Amino acid sequence: MNIHRHPELLDRLAAAWALGTLRGGARRRFEALAREQAPVRAAALLWESRVAGMTELQRETSPPPAVWTRIDNLVRAERDRQVMQRAQTTAPTPRGGWLRNLALWRTAAGAGALATVLALVTAGQMRAELGAQVQDLQARLQTAPQVEYVAVLNDNQAGPAMLVTFDPNNQRLTLQRVGGYQEASDKSLQLWALPPGSAPRSLGVLTRERLLQLAAGEGDVQNVPALAVSLEPQGGVPSERGPTGPVLFKGALIQKML
């Protein structure tokens, strides 16, 4: 299936994959498509970076004490149930044993029912908390920067090394390193647009941070089919000279539906 021809479906699947709600066979099929199709891989990495960025900004929270109390009660109830089961299977049956066993099983049944109730209460609270987190995430996404262009730049082994997105509202490129490459202290990475029929054009010199932004206009990326990153002397080289060092990463620039 050419899922990249259905941008809305691709966006929903990529979001579900990043949030962890896409599971089982559907998740495996999506990951297989991401390995084969660059647009799918780009959508997945884009949503992964969005979710990761939001969790970094999220304040740390601790579960309410009642949650730990319920968990402790569940553990104790399960332990008591196992103890009673072992006693039932190993202890000799005394006279009038069926009466004693009846009382024992009533106790065990009561403990099991209590554990079930506590589990339902805890699950309900956890669902409510998860629902609140999802609503907060949706609200954050509504105010997140728009993305019109996206590119996954791969290394020579076809492994993803850098995610590049363009936000037309804020006129900027966002670059996120997703591989482990780190240039030497006397070298710099430089981003290039590769327009058809003309020489490469510099879009900026990268700093050593894993996440950075470069000022850019839509004209810098419009009708540009691919981007590349080269290794240059520290501080980069003038745009008119073009890349002077080896091209380390390269990938197609894809225009997304806003």
Side-chain angles (χ1 to χ4, degrees):
M1 176 182 181
N2 294 327
I3 193 174
H4 62 275
R5 295 182 179 178
H6 307 275
E8 292 184 0
L9 175 60
L10 173 58
D11 196 60
R12 289 198 299 269
L13 289 174
W17 176 84
L19 290 169
T21 57
L22 188 67
R23 299 176 180 174
R27 187 177 186 87
R28 290 191 293 272
R29 287 192 295 272
F30 180 82
E31 291 175 347
L33 288 173
R35 288 191 292 269
E36 298 169 358
Q37 301 179 20
V40 181
R41 185 162 60 250
L45 287 173
L46 176 62
W47 269 99
E48 186 177 49
S49 66
R50 284 177 172 175
V51 173
M54 290 175 184
T55 56
E56 289 176 0
L57 296 175
Q58 184 70 31
R59 291 178 299 176
E60 294 186 359
T61 58
S62 300
V67 173
W68 294 115
T69 301
R70 293 190 181 102
I71 293 175
D72 183 64
N73 289 338
L74 287 172
V75 172
R76 289 176 182 271
E78 177 63 20
R79 185 171 59 235
D80 292 343
R81 184 183 65 81
Q82 294 176 359
V83 170
M84 287 186 288
Q85 283 183 339
R86 286 196 296 269
Q88 175 65 21
T89 56
T90 59
T93 304
R95 296 180 62 183
W98 71 275
L99 289 174
R100 296 177 181 271
N101 289 342
L102 180 60
L104 180 64
W105 285 110
R106 283 176 175 171
T107 303
L114 176 61
T116 301
V117 171
L118 290 173
L120 291 173
V121 171
T122 302
Q125 182 171 354
M126 292 178 65
R127 282 196 297 269
E129 293 175 355
L130 179 59
Q133 292 176 3
V134 170
Q135 290 178 354
D136 179 66
L137 176 60
Q138 291 174 339
R140 289 171 180 264
L141 289 178
Q142 290 177 355
T143 60
Q146 295 293 321
V147 174
E148 185 176 0
Y149 293 87
V150 60
V152 178
L153 307 187
N154 298 321
D155 57 23
N156 294 331
Q157 286 73 43
M162 189 170 296
L163 174 67
V164 183
T165 59
F166 173 70
D167 175 10
N169 291 347
N170 296 300
Q171 297 286 288
R172 67 189 180 192
L173 287 163
T174 299
L175 297 90
Q176 180 174 354
R177 303 192 187 205
V178 295
Y181 181 84
Q182 187 64 63
E183 64 274 21
S185 58
D186 61 341
K187 299 289 184 180
S188 293
L189 297 183
Q190 191 161 353
L191 180 66
W192 301 87
L194 305 179
S198 59
R201 183 175 66 250
S202 177
L203 295 177
V205 178
L206 281 58
T207 61
R208 297 172 64 86
E209 285 78 14
R210 294 192 64 84
L211 181 66
L212 66 136
Q213 294 179 339
L214 299 174
E218 188 161 3
D220 294 325
V221 294
Q222 194 172 36
N223 299 322
V224 172
L227 301 177
V229 171
S230 64
L231 183 66
E232 303 295 344
Q234 188 174 21
V237 295
S239 180
E240 59 272 14
R241 292 178 57 185
T244 62
V247 173
L248 301 181
F249 316 131
K250 186 178 180 181
L253 181 62
I254 302 166
Q255 185 173 14
K256 290 174 55 65
M257 298 292 292
L258 288 178

